[in-house]
Amino acid sequence: MKQTQQMKRAQANMAPGVLTLEGFLGRDQRHLLDIIIEDEAAVQRLDVSHEAIANRMQFLRDGGEKGLGEFVTVEPGILVRVDSVRGKLPCPFEDQGLFEKTTTTVRNEKHGREISYSDLHIHLIREHGFYEGKGFAFRLDPEALVEVLEVPREET
């Protein structure tokens, strides 16, 4: 029962205008738990974990930070730029703390693809397995993250 109430509160926090102007779900009308379950299944099919994805995101973010807003090579074929703006965001799941409004852009020259994410995204993936609603402009697709960021597969 407690988890159901927490999910309802989190989903209410994700509505446009509550914590952010655009919210976290976009046009996705599914229940939050259904969104998380679907993404969990996708991550399992990819033989990775939310933690491995979040760790890779954090590693690349940390490596790109020394570029001071310019792309730097973190690994061969992986360029990263970290941009920061003033302000902080809270977690819609009501976790403690605020997250800097930092955007990390990873350009994978081998795949010819680029992906951007925030510090809050790293937290949402690591702690909640949440990638945002389908069709939302800021949603991170687990498959795209694994490919572009070159997240290593789990050892079985």
Side-chain angles (χ1 to χ4, degrees):
M1 182 71 166
K2 185 179 179 187
Q3 186 170 359
T4 302
Q5 293 292 52
Q6 288 174 329
M7 284 298 216
K8 285 182 181 178
R9 277 198 327 271
Q11 188 153 359
N13 287 338
M14 292 180 188
V18 177
L19 297 178
T20 66
L21 181 64
E22 296 179 16
F24 294 84
L25 299 173
R27 295 180 315 276
D28 200 330
Q29 297 297 311
R30 296 175 296 157
H31 289 288
L32 177 58
L33 188 56
D34 293 332
I35 294 168
I36 290 171
I37 288 170
E38 184 175 312
D39 285 333
E40 173 67 30
V43 167
Q44 287 180 1
R45 280 192 304 275
L46 294 165
D47 291 325
V48 297
S49 65
H50 302 299
E51 184 175 1
I53 293 170
N55 288 346
R56 182 70 173 157
M57 293 167 79
Q58 186 69 54
F59 170 80
L60 293 170
R61 183 223 184 277
D62 292 347
E65 198 168 35
K66 61 186 164 214
L68 303 172
E70 299 294 327
F71 276 102
V72 294
T73 301
V74 174
E75 293 177 351
I78 305 283
L79 287 85
V80 181
R81 182 183 73 221
V82 177
D83 297 300
S84 190
V85 295
R86 288 190 310 175
K88 297 181 181 187
L89 294 170
C91 174
F93 290 89
E94 300 180 345
D95 294 343
Q96 294 294 319
L98 297 171
F99 298 86
E100 299 287 335
K101 286 186 175 182
T102 301
T103 301
T104 301
T105 302
V106 177
R107 181 179 296 157
N108 186 318
E109 293 185 322
K110 296 173 261 183
H111 297 292
R113 294 181 66 190
E114 189 173 281
I115 201 160
S116 295
Y117 55 87
S118 69
D119 287 1
L120 182 57
H121 278 118
I122 297 170
H123 168 78
L124 292 172
I125 291 169
R126 177 179 284 119
E127 298 301 325
H128 305 286
F130 180 64
Y131 297 77
E132 302 201 53
K134 282 195 174 179
F136 185 51
F138 300 107
R139 174 176 166 74
L140 295 172
D141 177 67
E143 188 172 314
L145 280 169
V146 168
E147 179 183 336
V148 175
L149 305 183
E150 298 183 1
V151 178
R153 302 296 204 253
E154 301 280 314
E155 298 286 324
T156 55

